[in-house]
Amino acid sequence: MAAGSIPLGTCAELRRALDTGSVSAVQIVETALARARTLDPMFHAFLGMREERALEQAAAADARRLRKEVLSPLDGIPIAIKDNLAHAGEPTTCASRILSGYVSPYTATAVARLEAAGAVILGRTNLDEFAMGSSTENSAFGPTRNPWDRTRIAGGSSGGSAVAVAAGIVPVALGSDTGGSIRQPAACTGVVGLKPTYGRVSRYGLVAFASSLDQIGPFGRSVADCATVLEVIAGHDPKDATSLPESTTLSCDKWNGDVTGIVIGLPKEFFCTSGLDPAVRDRVHEAVAHLEKRGASVREVSLPHTKYAIATYYLIATAEASSNLARFDGVRYGHRSAEAHDLDTMYQATRSEGFGAEVKRRIMLGTYVLSAGYYDAYYRKAQQVRTLLRRDFDQAFTQCDLIAGPTMPEVAFAMGTRTADPVTMYLSDVYTVSANLAGIPGLSLPCGFHDGMPVGLQLLGKPLDESTLLRVGDAYQRETDWHLRRPPERTA
Amino acid sequence: MTRSNVAANAFEVVIGLEVHVHLKTESKMFCSCAVCYGESPNTRTCPTCLALPGALPVMNAHAVELAVRAGLALGCEVRERSVMARKNYFYPDLPKGYQISQYDQPLNARGFLEISVEDEGVWTTKKVGITRIHLEEDAGKSIHEDGVAGADVSHMDLNRSGVPLIEIVSEPDLRSAKEAGAYLRALHDVICYIGVSDADMEKGQFRCDANVSLRLLEKAGSDEFGTRTEIKNLNSFRFVEEAIQAEVKRQKKILEQGGAIVQATLAFDRHAKQTRVLRIKENAHDYRYFPDPDLLPVAVDTMQIARIRAALPELPTQKRERFQTQYGLSEYDARLLTASRELADFFEAATKEHGKAKSVANWILRDLLKLLKQHETDLVNLALSAATFARLIQLVEAGKITPKSAQEILPELAMRGGEPETLVAARGLEVVQDTGVLESAAAEVIAANPDAKERYLAGEEKVLNFLMGQVMKRTQGKASPAQVREFLIQKFKE
């Protein structure tokens, strides 16, 4: 077989192979690069590869292993990062023309922690421009396609990272989740995605979309791999004032598939949504029934303000985005219009040329939301509703240990069908935005198929309780093989 | 209603000041870049103060502490929880496209500053309200240059981007340019006293915007104000007063001609001594303030506030009052001696050495301040210690040298240092003690002015002064004036 014809296994499998010496980090990285070369023209998961540096880092990992100085369970493992994370010496494009020519002089904390753990950064992955979107169709460099069906969306905004894992190019990847941007593409592509508790992972070096909602998290084939990556990237960072001081101990080695005593809450509001595909609902119920068989109990809970979540989310996220994206002004870096000859027209032309339609739409929405005379009616009101949503979860978590439901109301839809109708597109975030508004952790994992496409189960946890989410998710994966299914491989 | 022919004196001037003060911190407000002045452009920058994609701010705790100190010194209520907010607007010297400031929940509120204004020798004191003192970051600096072929080129220096500031907003309590000047000077004194800033106006560490409006005298004291204008970026005490005077004149002229004031932002042209409209309110920014989600609320607990309060130094007003009671000084003298912390400390140290506060005060106010003014320098630059200064005064009072000799050697002591005794000896300035010399000099002078005795005895006192001057001349100023006087009177009576 040609190099790169075999999909990469999980981190755990690769680690065992490295430990026994049956494969080297350089061979693993060569395989990943070869698969990217073969497959990525079909999927467009990557915006840039780091071939030379990645191979150097792999060689260094092999040398460490020979010296028995292995840095972490990720030492020598290739990982892809979403192209809104700063990495010194590399472009950070955010899939936007406005950052053309920009090369970051510094590295995001999460990326620096991966490198310090010996992980090999393979390349930058595609996204909706500035992480604004649910399909990765809003990339200035073209959309990412779903490996299960290339006519369908990969989900978004971290579609590139999801597909890089789903296509077996890398075992793990980093994404960012502001309203579902890790969990939703994970569901679309049949992989695991984790959005940690707000503040769990430093945002330093993550190009901000909505600062109070953004959180970096991992993609992987297995829940255990996501846990491994989380342990490396999590923890307090003095460079991010909103990062939490709590340490992250997941005790993965004690997981044994037992979920006895765990109470799973099913919010009634999640299952009476008009847009919920009955097949998706059935897959979720089957998954919950499976966990019940393993010792969990199930009860109905209520999140009464769920119906306001989307509106609240789009008010807060756009308001923050309108301010966060003001720095892209053509003055210091990135694109500057060649047309303008005075300050005002330089700003206007630069931003008109540099930003795509969805980004402009959200900047305008957010500017409006914060305007004098509208602030109270929109932004302040949205913050008040956000508090109510948070209380819904506090209340629900007095009755259960975690909440289960669908990650998205349907399977990945066909590309191009929603781009003209932003509101319908926004509605696909209905199950994911609440976790960002409440700051709680959320995990999406594959729980079956419908129409040949993967279905995602979402588990939501108490703040800082990633441990329960991951333990329950791991227990599910010990009994099922949905996460081991791979999309059929054809060449272009 | 017609406003024409309103008499010029029928208006009351209403002024409020906004003062920006750089805080004296080692590093910037939200990153670890050094705060510096005069370094090469853009050498004190990092991803955060350049607003690179993904960079985040982290609050400098020392800046908060200094801002609390300023709040306490100015009688403010300090909020235990205040909120940093984003003020959104586009300008090339503002890298993020927003300034991190405080909006509806500032750190300090409701303070005051007592000022004294002199009018024809009479001092009146007044309490000026302080609305709020909030924390914010400075922007960078634009350097405009006229390029060739008419194309203007602007450069940005972002060394100043993110330097911590406090903005001190006064109530519209000031009623004249003079009061505004007095307020600004008093504020400058307090800021320097408590050490929160070097407040060097030339370096832009202490900058002022003035809000000016006029209202009919009959409205004085009411809540009704005239339309105000804001004069931006006044960076000297003199410019503040001149700009306000110019703006009052401009507004009066408009109102007297029956016109209406348009709310506007103005600049002061220091050469033409005129205010010039920069932009009118219709073109004003909507800053879209909202709480900065990158920063937690600023938390200052009661223990910390108590600790900062306890460590506050004596403030100018407190010191002035103490000088009056402890040293028996007049209000005027006490005010001059407490004008700066350095001068007040010098006075107290010299008094401790010398023993008599009034003598020391006189010598400082008469001779030392004159010297500083002549040499355009500050006390800290002098080579003169308080102890040396005290000994110089003691030499005079012990009759060892004349006051004139002391005045003669003071500049040298001040500029080059040294011991007064050594200088006196080197220059031969010891007072003539030989009565024979004095007596013969007095006799000679009287002989040279035969009508003097008669005129003196007829009650013409100034004759005595003239003769004294003659005697001093003959002794090269080294005679004790008191002794000379005694001799002359004795001679007249013979």
Side-chain angles (χ1 to χ4, degrees):
Chain A
M1 266 203 265
S5 59
I6 306 165
L8 287 184
T10 62
C11 291
E13 287 162 2
L14 293 173
R15 193 162 61 241
R16 276 193 293 277
L18 284 167
D19 286 345
T20 59
S22 64
V23 70
S24 70
V26 168
Q27 285 173 314
I28 291 172
V29 170
E30 276 172 348
T31 303
L33 289 169
R35 282 186 68 78
R37 271 193 300 272
T38 316
L39 298 171
D40 207 47
M42 290 188 290
F43 306 135
H44 196 221
F46 285 89
L47 294 178
M49 305 302 293
R50 279 171 94 236
E51 304 209 1
E52 221 169 288
R53 281 292 295 137
L55 286 167
E56 280 170 26
Q57 284 184 340
D62 286 332
R64 281 193 294 272
R65 197 168 290 274
L66 276 177
R67 297 197 305 267
K68 302 201 184 313
E69 290 168 8
V70 176
L71 294 171
S72 83
L74 291 179
D75 202 347
I77 304 289
I79 183 165
I81 61 170
K82 188 177 181 177
D83 197 4
N84 60 353
L85 290 163
H87 193 189
E90 301 288 329
T92 307
T93 71
C94 295
S96 180
R97 268 188 286 274
I98 206 146
L99 275 165
S100 63
Y102 173 73
V103 173
S104 182
Y106 78 104
T107 300
T109 299
V111 178
R113 286 182 179 175
L114 285 175
E115 287 194 311
V120 177
I121 314 294
L122 196 76
R124 298 173 283 112
T125 59
N126 201 7
L127 64 152
D128 285 301
E129 185 178 1
F130 285 102
M132 296 178 184
S134 310
S135 66
T136 316
E137 290 171 290
N138 297 332
S139 166
F141 308 118
T144 295
R145 292 168 183 275
N146 195 316
W148 293 92
D149 178 349
R150 295 205 302 131
T151 68
R152 299 200 192 221
I153 61 153
S157 65
S158 314
S161 286
V163 170
V165 174
I169 297 169
V170 283
V172 280
L174 286 191
S176 68
D177 189 317
T178 306
S181 282
I182 290 174
R183 291 159 289 156
Q184 190 258 21
C188 284
T189 58
V191 299
V192 183
L194 171 70
K195 181 205 93 77
T197 306
Y198 183 78
R200 181 64 104 182
V201 180
S202 167
R203 294 183 295 116
Y204 186 74
L206 166 66
V207 182
F209 160 16
S211 315
S212 74
L213 303 162
D214 294 341
Q215 191 57 195
I216 297 169
F219 286 93
R221 301 206 66 81
S222 73
V223 170
D225 278 4
C226 287
T228 303
V229 175
L230 180 66
E231 282 192 309
V232 168
I233 63 174
H236 179 69
D237 177 11
K239 289 179 180 150
D240 175 3
T242 62
S243 82
L244 296 169
E246 284 83 356
S247 63
T248 311
T249 37
L250 299 172
S251 320
C252 310
D253 48 336
K254 296 197 182 101
W255 295 348
N256 56 12
D258 184 14
V259 292
T260 308
I262 294 283
V263 182
I264 299 172
L266 297 180
K268 56 182 182 204
E269 294 81 4
F270 279 16
F271 294 92
C272 59
T273 316
S274 62
L276 177 59
D277 187 322
V280 170
R281 184 194 60 206
D282 292 347
R283 293 299 93 77
V284 169
H285 280 309
E286 285 158 22
V288 171
H290 204 100
L291 288 167
E292 250 184 313
K293 262 187 263 161
R294 299 301 304 162
S297 60
V298 175
R299 65 180 298 172
E300 188 184 81
V301 294
S302 176
L303 299 169
H305 294 92
T306 297
K307 57 178 177 288
Y308 304 115
I310 289 274
T312 303
Y313 171 81
Y314 277 93
L315 290 173
I316 291 171
T318 57
E320 292 181 8
S322 71
S323 174
N324 283 333
L325 270 61
R327 67 184 60 194
F328 305 105
D329 56 6
V331 174
R332 284 149 294 124
Y333 48 78
H335 175 70
R336 182 192 289 186
S337 174
E339 302 302 311
H341 298 290
D342 65 57
L343 187 59
D344 283 345
T345 52
M346 183 193 85
Y347 285 144
Q348 286 160 16
T350 296
R351 289 166 66 84
S352 297
E353 295 163 12
F355 290 134
E358 182 60 26
V359 172
K360 285 179 197 162
R361 180 180 296 124
R362 295 197 194 191
I363 290 173
M364 283 188 278
L365 270 171
T367 303
Y368 183 77
V369 165
L370 291 174
S371 305
Y374 297 99
Y375 181 91
D376 285 342
Y378 295 122
Y379 190 75
R380 194 184 299 280
K381 184 71 77 185
Q383 290 294 4
Q384 287 163 347
V385 178
R386 184 176 186 174
T387 303
L388 296 177
L389 280 156
R390 208 175 266 149
R391 284 189 197 149
D392 280 1
F393 280 105
D394 289 345
Q395 180 60 34
F397 283 128
T398 61
Q399 299 161 37
C400 61
D401 299 308
L402 57 85
I403 285 168
T407 306
M408 59 187 295
E410 58 198 333
V411 294
F413 46 84
M415 292 176 73
T417 54
R418 309 250 168 111
T419 39
D421 183 0
V423 175
T424 312
M425 184 78 100
Y426 296 170
L427 288 175
S428 62
D429 302 335
V430 62
Y431 295 123
T432 47
V433 294
S434 299
N436 301 82
L437 289 166
I440 58 172
L443 177 72
S444 178
L445 62 164
C447 67
F449 287 84
H450 169 57
D451 206 7
M453 297 304 291
V455 174
L457 165 72
Q458 179 176 234
L459 303 177
L460 300 173
K462 296 174 187 173
L464 291 169
D465 193 18
E466 284 84 356
S467 180
T468 300
L469 282 189
L470 293 165
R471 182 160 65 90
V472 172
D474 175 70
Y476 180 73
Q477 292 196 331
R478 283 171 191 250
E479 298 292 321
T480 58
D481 68 348
W482 305 116
H483 63 293
L484 301 177
R485 310 267 178 107
R486 292 190 177 274
E489 288 199 11
R490 307 174 206 94
T491 42
Chain B
M1 186 181 109
T2 169
R3 285 256 184 99
S4 56
N5 300 321
V6 180
N9 57 6
F11 293 107
E12 180 185 49
V13 178
V14 176
I15 303 158
L17 298 184
E18 291 168 16
V19 180
H20 290 88
V21 182
H22 271 190
L23 295 174
K24 202 172 169 179
T25 54
E26 292 290 315
S27 58
K28 291 185 181 180
M29 194 160 186
F30 300 115
C31 60
S32 53
C33 289
V35 171
C36 65
Y37 298 88
E39 294 284 336
S40 308
N42 302 310
T43 54
R44 295 295 184 270
T45 55
C46 72
T48 295
C49 57
L50 290 175
L52 296 188
L56 291 173
V58 177
M59 180 59 91
N60 179 337
H62 190 216
V64 176
E65 168 145 2
L66 293 179
V68 170
R69 198 192 294 174
L72 293 174
L74 292 165
C76 291
E77 295 164 22
V78 180
R79 265 203 184 77
E80 287 182 44
R81 185 183 176 281
S82 65
V83 173
M84 301 311 296
R86 292 187 185 178
K87 178 180 182 179
N88 294 284
Y89 66 95
F90 284 96
Y91 201 70
D93 66 13
L94 189 70
K96 294 188 294 295
Y98 56 84
Q99 179 193 30
I100 303 179
S101 179
Q102 295 194 300
Y103 184 50
D104 54 354
Q105 296 173 68
L107 179 63
N108 304 293
R110 287 180 291 278
F112 66 90
L113 176 62
E114 204 172 273
I115 62 164
S116 303
V117 188
E118 194 231 51
D119 196 21
E120 290 173 8
V122 181
W123 290 91
T124 15
T125 55
K126 173 171 183 169
K127 214 168 167 178
V128 179
I130 287 172
T131 315
R132 56 189 279 155
I133 303 175
H134 68 250
L135 274 165
E136 63 183 31
E137 58 174 337
D138 208 345
K141 215 187 261 177
S142 310
I143 301 150
H144 302 294
E145 88 178 32
D146 289 330
V148 284
D152 287 352
V153 179
S154 293
H155 301 276
M156 289 302 139
D157 177 6
L158 297 175
N159 283 350
R160 203 180 66 183
S161 163
V163 168
L165 289 173
I166 44 174
E167 182 176 332
I168 304 168
V169 183
S170 86
E171 291 286 305
D173 286 350
L174 301 161
R175 292 292 172 268
S176 66
K178 202 169 183 177
E179 280 190 10
Y183 167 82
L184 209 58
R185 284 185 182 86
L187 189 62
H188 192 263
D189 285 351
V190 171
I191 292 299
C192 292
Y193 256 72
I194 60 175
V196 300
S197 175
D198 288 333
D200 186 332
M201 294 176 94
E202 279 174 21
K203 287 182 181 163
Q205 295 169 341
F206 190 92
R207 314 194 289 261
C208 178
D209 301 337
N211 288 292
V212 181
S213 65
L214 299 184
R215 64 179 168 191
L216 291 169
L217 261 185
E218 65 214 42
K219 297 271 168 63
S222 75
D223 289 341
E224 215 174 304
F225 293 101
T227 305
R228 70 187 163 91
T229 56
E230 183 181 19
I231 319 166
K232 284 275 183 198
N233 266 326
L234 300 165
N235 58 0
S236 89
F237 296 122
R238 191 161 61 90
F239 293 155
V240 170
E241 295 191 29
E242 286 177 359
I244 291 170
Q245 280 158 1
E247 178 56 12
V248 167
K249 208 163 129 189
R250 188 187 73 92
Q251 290 192 13
K252 266 188 185 164
K253 198 170 158 194
I254 293 171
L255 294 174
E256 279 161 16
Q257 288 169 348
I261 305 300
V262 179
Q263 195 171 338
T265 302
L266 314 171
F268 177 59
D269 181 335
R270 68 181 86 164
H271 303 295
K273 295 207 189 325
Q274 277 178 346
T275 51
R276 181 167 52 81
V277 173
L278 286 177
R279 61 173 181 268
I280 57 168
K281 206 216 169 187
E282 278 76 71
N283 300 331
H285 296 294
D286 175 358
Y287 290 120
R288 292 174 283 118
Y289 280 100
F290 74 107
D292 192 331
D294 286 331
L295 291 162
L296 305 177
V298 179
V300 195
D301 63 35
T302 42
M303 292 287 287
Q304 199 182 350
I305 294 171
R307 184 176 56 72
I308 297 170
R309 193 191 296 278
L312 269 184
E314 189 178 31
L315 298 173
T317 317
Q318 295 165 341
K319 205 180 274 282
R320 194 185 74 216
E321 283 163 6
R322 181 169 64 81
F323 276 22
Q324 286 177 249
T325 52
Q326 184 178 340
Y327 299 116
L329 299 174
S330 71
E331 189 191 337
Y332 183 83
D333 289 354
R335 193 179 295 282
L336 291 172
L337 287 171
T338 53
S340 80
R341 198 168 163 180
E342 289 75 25
L343 185 64
D345 288 348
F346 186 89
F347 162 74
E348 291 208 274
T351 299
K352 201 174 165 199
E353 187 77 21
H354 178 278
K356 279 184 280 178
K358 276 191 183 148
S359 290
V360 175
N362 284 339
W363 277 90
I364 289 178
L365 297 175
R366 189 185 59 221
D367 301 294
L368 193 61
L369 291 187
K370 192 167 107 194
L371 183 91
L372 291 176
K373 206 168 175 185
Q374 275 169 356
H375 289 79
E376 289 180 344
T377 186
D378 288 320
L379 197 58
V380 288
N381 301 325
L382 298 189
L384 180 69
S385 74
T388 309
F389 187 67
R391 284 219 312 283
L392 181 68
I393 303 169
Q394 279 163 342
L395 285 177
V396 175
E397 288 171 352
K400 300 230 171 85
I401 57 171
T402 65
K404 194 159 171 285
S405 301
Q407 282 158 356
E408 200 181 307
I409 61 168
L410 182 59
E412 177 150 356
L413 285 174
M415 297 304 160
R416 280 189 285 278
E419 298 304 319
E421 293 82 359
T422 325
L423 258 171
V424 166
R427 294 200 187 173
L429 293 173
E430 294 93 345
V431 164
V432 178
Q433 302 285 357
D434 187 338
T435 50
V437 175
L438 288 184
E439 214 172 329
S440 62
E444 278 171 41
V445 167
I446 291 173
N449 298 277
D451 61 339
K453 181 174 176 178
E454 220 167 299
R455 281 165 63 194
Y456 175 75
L457 292 175
E460 207 178 325
E461 280 277 335
K462 65 181 180 190
V463 175
L464 185 60
N465 292 337
F466 171 74
L467 293 184
M468 276 178 71
Q470 295 294 308
V471 175
M472 295 303 279
K473 215 172 188 176
R474 277 161 206 263
T475 56
Q476 286 107 42
K478 290 184 288 185
S480 151
Q483 224 173 349
V484 173
R485 189 185 164 90
E486 214 170 284
F487 272 115
L488 285 170
I489 293 171
Q490 209 181 316
K491 289 267 172 215
F492 287 147
K493 288 178 178 161
E494 274 169 7

